[in-house]
Amino acid sequence: MRVIALTLLTLITLVACAISGVNHVVQPGQTLYRISKTYGVSADKIAAYNHIKDPTQIKAGESLWIPGVRHTRTVAVVPGTTRQTLQKSIPKVTRKKTVKPPKTVKKKSPSKVSQPVRKQPSVAVKKGLLDWPVRGAVLQTYGVKNGERNKGIVIAASEGTPVLCAAAGQVIYSGSGIQGYGHLLIVKHSDNLYTVYGHNRSTLVKTGAFVNKGQRIALSGRVPSLGRGGVHFEVRQGNQAVNPAFYLP
């Protein structure tokens, strides 16, 4: 499994570099409509890539992923936008007053044990950002079990069950070139987030296709190590595998 994981990691790195796109930082007075016109990319596509539900609510300082382009461009500002109006759209950051603990708190009793600090992923997690690709029991969980590290989860599903895309994005790999994953799909989302779908019986989308959240992208197959139907599902922040539980509902 370690060799296979490294091969998958290399694949994600290579294909991600091949997909063009830039991050555009929204400036005061810029709108999604003007950004889409300037880059020649539809506003709907930009909104889907960046999980924007209300296109009128983009804010100055927000970073938007613009797919299919190679260079950032200067976007015109909406005429008549006042500075006061723009400042209202930018949330103010207030510095919290640091309260020093009493000196007596520093002297902890030997009987007290500090609570372990839970390790957080390197990025802010968004619970519910992703949907389940299939509905079923989790047969294998993320993490180390029996001395073997699982970089994703395996979800039970009868063979031939439709596999749904967890979020809108672009298919950067669709094929069976990686041994041990069957027909494999990798979808790239905004913020350098990827989802991986393995052990499919067949795939329904091709490399380069743009897909929507909840769209059918494959039919589930059989998990060889378990001898039953299921879907291998991974979530990766860049090259780092993260626990899907951070993003699923």
Side-chain angles (χ1 to χ4, degrees), residues 88-236:
K88 290 180 181 179
S89 67
I90 305 175
K92 295 181 179 180
V93 179
T94 56
R95 181 174 295 179
K96 295 182 180 180
K97 184 178 179 181
T98 302
V99 180
K100 295 183 178 180
K103 293 183 179 180
T104 54
V105 177
K106 295 181 179 179
K107 297 180 181 180
K108 294 183 179 181
S109 172
S111 60
K112 294 182 178 180
V113 180
S114 299
Q115 294 294 326
V117 179
R118 183 180 179 183
K119 185 178 179 181
Q120 298 292 332
S122 58
V123 294
V125 299
K126 296 182 180 179
K127 192 72 174 175
L129 175 65
L130 304 177
D131 278 349
W132 289 87
V134 292
R135 289 291 180 178
V138 177
L139 304 177
Q140 286 185 349
T141 57
Y142 172 88
V144 179
K145 186 176 182 180
N146 298 326
E148 185 176 352
R149 183 186 178 191
N150 297 321
K151 294 190 175 183
I153 61 176
V154 175
I155 310 168
S158 302
E159 294 184 53
T161 299
V163 179
L164 309 182
C165 192
Q170 185 175 17
V171 180
I172 63 172
Y173 182 82
S174 175
S176 54
I178 299 182
Q179 186 178 2
Y181 282 88
H183 290 281
L184 177 70
L185 275 172
I186 304 175
V187 180
K188 182 178 181 180
H189 312 282
S190 59
D191 298 326
N192 206 26
L193 191 71
Y194 300 84
T195 50
V196 179
Y197 312 78
H199 300 312
N200 300 300
R201 187 173 72 185
S202 61
T203 55
L204 305 178
V205 290
K206 297 181 179 180
T207 301
F210 288 93
V211 290
N212 297 317
K213 190 174 188 177
Q215 180 177 335
R216 293 186 177 190
I217 56 177
L219 297 177
S220 64
R222 188 177 184 83
V223 182
S225 61
L226 300 178
R228 59 175 298 179
V231 176
H232 173 86
F233 181 64
E234 287 185 28
V235 179
R236 288 178 175 264

